[in-house]
Amino acid sequence: MTAQSPARWTDPEQQELEERVAAAELAWLSMDVDVQTLRVEIDNFALIHHQLLGPLYARLDELDALVAEAVAARTGHPDDLRRAAEARQQVEDLPDLDALFDSVRSERERTGEGADEAVPPPPAAPARVRPGKEAQRIYRELVRRAHPDLTTDPGEQQRRADFLVRVNEAYAYGDTVALEGLAAEWSTAPEAAPAVDSPDRLGWLRRRLDWLTAKITETATEQVRLEQTPMGQLLALAPQDPDRLLEQLAEELLAKAAAQQAELERLLGTPDPARRPTAVGDNGTRPTDSTDPYRAQESPTMFAQIPSTDAASVPADAALLDVREQDEFDAGHVDGALHIPIGEVIARIDELPEDRLYVLCRVGGRSAQVVQYLVQQGRDAVNVDGGMYAWEGAGRPMVSSTGQAAFVL
């Protein structure tokens, strides 16, 4: 009869702590990935929101100022004059980043600073990304294995912290390949936690549990803070489809701008005779110098309408840009159209042809944002009113990526 080895004794307290630490670690890592993903999505949504809707907001502010100035010129009322001044001040206070960059470059050239160096262009805006499930899995595993708190050695803690900086950067860009490379690199690194049978294990487990508990609270607090930011609240309206949300916002802004434009034209086209100046010059006419408020208000408005055309008028050989998402494009598109989803336009602007570009989306909202942005960049771009719905309604040809009958999704 073969003698059996006696069962190894396990400290019940240590066993319980092992389980609690494992559970707390899983909970914290899941929360941390969720919060990191939310931060990436909010940052990138804010970037695209600013780049594509910023010109529309600026246009609205300018129209508000022009309308207020037109009202003040008609009435001369102190309150209207004050509101006009405040509206104009708001427009003037907005920073012009391009002008700021140009001024810095001019100053460097004037002082000779960096004369032998090329002034670098502004950094390109990163494309919006959402880390996928595989990236999240690798990120979670790397954080679990390489966190600085897994060791008490200062040098090892610094090495781990430096390593996690690289991990966080790769995750922010959703770079699964880079994360896989980092995982392979770390697989040869020694683990710093005490061994299970080490006398230091119990104390480490207690400290680890305290740290995880605090970390869970800190992470939950950060999640609430992110969700309550203006961009977080906006993104929460359509977390699965932020591009459609931007389209809706653009349509609302365009409607407001159209209403303000109409109001401005009404005010400029029908001046109040009771408020017109009665003073005349030596030749019997009204003054025409720059101090005359009517002369200033009767000049053309600063912002022209977004270049646009109806679907039936788009030339057959026109260069087309479709800014819808992949599933929409696959369902039905114009044969030969360049497809760049709206969230990638900024990063891929160099792929666009220099000739006039007709921009399409589903109903014309997203394409209007892109046209506004491209015009700001000096490109010749035209919005196709009504988008692919109007294209289909005009009886113009479409194809699908699947070979089936094309339709507008």
Side-chain angles (χ1 to χ4, degrees):
M1 181 176 180
T2 304
Q4 296 182 352
S5 301
R8 184 174 180 177
W9 181 83
T10 303
D11 185 342
E13 180 183 3
Q14 179 172 330
Q15 182 61 33
E16 180 187 0
L17 280 174
E18 296 278 6
E19 295 171 355
R20 292 177 62 187
V21 166
E25 196 167 61
L26 178 62
W28 169 63
L29 290 172
S30 297
M31 291 177 64
D32 189 59
V33 169
D34 290 342
V35 170
Q36 181 72 3
T37 301
L38 177 62
R39 182 181 292 109
V40 170
E41 291 183 350
I42 288 177
D43 287 348
N44 285 301
F45 181 75
L47 171 67
I48 303 300
H49 179 276
H50 171 73
Q51 293 281 6
L52 295 181
L53 298 189
L56 289 177
Y57 283 116
R59 181 183 178 198
L60 266 177
D61 287 340
E62 176 65 26
L63 285 171
D64 288 343
L66 290 172
V67 168
E69 289 166 348
V71 170
R74 288 169 63 88
T75 67
H77 194 281
D79 287 343
D80 291 336
L81 293 170
R82 174 182 53 79
R83 280 190 286 268
E86 291 174 350
R88 177 55 59 190
Q89 186 63 45
Q90 180 175 343
V91 174
E92 293 175 352
D93 284 346
L94 292 175
D96 185 338
L97 296 183
D98 291 334
L100 287 175
F101 179 77
D102 290 341
S103 67
V104 171
R105 179 169 52 191
S106 299
E107 178 64 17
R108 292 188 63 181
E109 292 174 351
R110 185 186 68 80
T111 59
E113 178 184 353
D116 297 330
E117 304 172 8
V119 178
R128 186 179 64 225
V129 295
R130 295 179 191 149
K133 292 187 180 299
E134 181 64 9
Q136 293 182 27
R137 183 192 67 78
I138 300 173
Y139 174 80
R140 181 184 294 111
E141 181 66 12
L142 282 171
V143 172
R144 184 187 70 80
R145 294 164 57 190
H147 202 284
D149 287 340
L150 291 173
T151 179
T152 57
D153 178 72
E156 177 65 7
Q157 285 182 336
Q158 184 60 50
R159 186 180 76 85
R160 289 169 177 257
D162 293 341
F163 178 80
L164 285 183
V165 168
R166 297 161 59 200
V167 171
N168 288 332
E169 181 179 6
Y171 185 70
Y173 283 88
D175 194 339
T176 305
V177 173
L179 287 171
E180 289 173 346
L182 289 167
E185 175 183 333
W186 189 258
S187 63
T188 59
E191 295 291 344
V196 175
D197 57 353
S198 169
D200 298 330
R201 181 76 178 183
L202 193 60
W204 178 85
L205 286 170
R206 294 192 185 102
R207 293 191 302 274
R208 181 66 174 167
L209 185 59
D210 289 342
W211 182 87
L212 286 169
T213 301
K215 204 66 178 177
I216 288 172
T217 301
E218 177 186 325
T219 305
T221 301
E222 177 64 6
Q223 180 173 350
V224 172
R225 186 194 69 79
L226 289 171
E227 291 172 345
Q228 292 180 349
T229 60
M231 282 296 150
Q233 293 179 18
L234 192 59
L235 183 60
L237 297 176
Q240 302 304 319
D241 200 356
D243 291 332
R244 299 281 170 86
L245 176 61
L246 288 173
E247 177 185 3
Q248 294 172 0
L249 290 173
E251 291 171 349
E252 293 175 3
L253 292 175
L254 287 170
K256 290 179 181 179
Q260 288 295 75
Q261 184 77 35
E263 175 65 9
L264 179 62
E265 292 172 356
R266 183 189 70 80
L267 290 168
L268 297 181
T270 56
D272 183 356
R275 292 300 306 167
R276 293 178 66 88
T278 56
V280 297
D282 293 337
N283 59 356
T285 61
R286 290 176 57 248
T288 58
D289 59 64
S290 60
T291 61
D292 179 0
Y294 280 90
R295 181 176 183 274
Q297 291 300 325
E298 288 168 358
S299 62
T301 57
M302 294 179 62
F303 287 87
Q305 296 291 335
I306 293 176
S308 62
T309 188
D310 59 277
S313 301
V314 177
D317 60 349
L320 299 173
L321 171 63
D322 192 320
V323 298
R324 296 175 298 159
E325 297 304 304
Q326 188 67 52
D327 57 341
E328 298 174 282
F329 183 82
D330 290 341
H333 59 269
V334 183
D335 192 19
L338 174 62
H339 177 224
I340 300 180
I342 186 173
E344 301 176 17
V345 169
I346 295 172
R348 298 171 60 185
I349 191 170
D350 290 340
E351 299 178 28
L352 304 181
E354 295 294 336
D355 298 333
R356 173 167 292 182
L357 192 61
Y358 291 83
V359 187
L360 285 156
C361 67
R362 184 176 55 164
V363 296
R366 280 172 285 177
S367 55
Q369 299 173 54
V370 173
V371 168
Q372 183 74 23
Y373 172 73
L374 292 177
V375 169
Q376 290 285 331
Q377 306 306 309
R379 298 296 187 104
D380 186 1
V382 179
N383 186 41
V384 179
D385 284 337
M388 288 301 298
Y389 277 129
W391 187 276
E392 183 181 43
R396 305 205 61 170
M398 297 189 305
V399 297
S400 72
S401 300
T402 61
Q404 300 176 347
F407 67 97
V408 180
L409 177 62

